Amino acid sequence: MTQVETYLLWVGHAGEGRDVRNLYAKEIRAVVQLAIEERSLELPREMILCRFPLVDGCGNDTALLSAAIRSTAVLVSGKIPTLVCCGAGMSRSPAIAAAALSMAKSTPPEEALEIVSRHCPTDVLPGLWQEIVQNITW
């Protein structure tokens, strides 16, 4: 899991969302889980868990995408240490993290994706990014 520096935001894969010891070590208080193919995380009661079953690519429900982005943006704006995770941690996680940063900090989505990409490996599928940018009201 990699922190997007200057923000209390981490991007990672599903296994990192299950690593409770490491979540505690990094003082992460919220996990946004995005992978439809992964089983729901089992976190301690004091941790926030938001689960949005997204596919990696085209075909996501706009309302579900919006809920994932807005929820993550609220956590970022509230300075709550948050991990955003998906299957491999390279497409949905950085895309939703970037969209949330864009919303929380009023920056263009592409600029926010560049910020996230400087901190972690990314391979955002173009169809997913297009759905995010075209269908979400900033």
Side-chain angles (χ1 to χ4, degrees):
M1 113 181 43
T2 306
Q3 185 175 5
V4 180
E5 290 189 19
T6 74
Y7 301 102
L8 296 175
L9 179 65
W10 286 258
V11 176
H13 58 74
E16 292 165 324
R18 287 189 284 274
D19 186 355
V20 175
R21 186 170 294 157
N22 197 29
L23 295 174
Y24 276 129
K26 295 189 182 305
E27 299 181 354
I28 290 173
R29 294 180 40 214
V31 177
V32 178
Q33 183 185 18
L34 302 170
I36 192 169
E37 70 277 7
E38 296 288 337
R39 62 182 170 80
S40 293
L41 296 174
E42 294 181 27
L43 298 177
R45 288 183 285 192
E46 66 273 8
M47 285 190 180
I48 299 164
L49 173 61
C50 301
R51 184 173 190 283
F52 301 96
L54 300 178
V55 297
D56 195 9
C58 298
N60 287 294
D61 179 84
T62 302
L64 188 61
L65 276 174
S66 179
I69 293 164
R70 290 177 189 282
S71 297
T72 307
V74 166
L75 293 166
V76 169
S77 295
K79 296 184 180 359
I80 296 171
T82 301
L83 167 65
V84 181
C85 64
C86 63
M90 295 181 63
S91 184
R92 288 165 286 191
S93 295
I96 296 300
L101 277 180
S102 173
M103 183 173 284
K105 302 299 177 184
S106 299
T107 61
E110 293 77 14
E111 185 178 315
L113 184 59
E114 175 59 34
I115 291 168
V116 171
S117 296
R118 285 192 298 242
H119 295 92
C120 64
T122 58
D123 188 18
V124 177
L125 291 180
L128 174 63
W129 188 246
Q130 183 178 6
E131 282 185 350
I132 288 170
V133 173
Q134 288 183 348
N135 295 317
I136 304 304
T137 304
W138 305 100

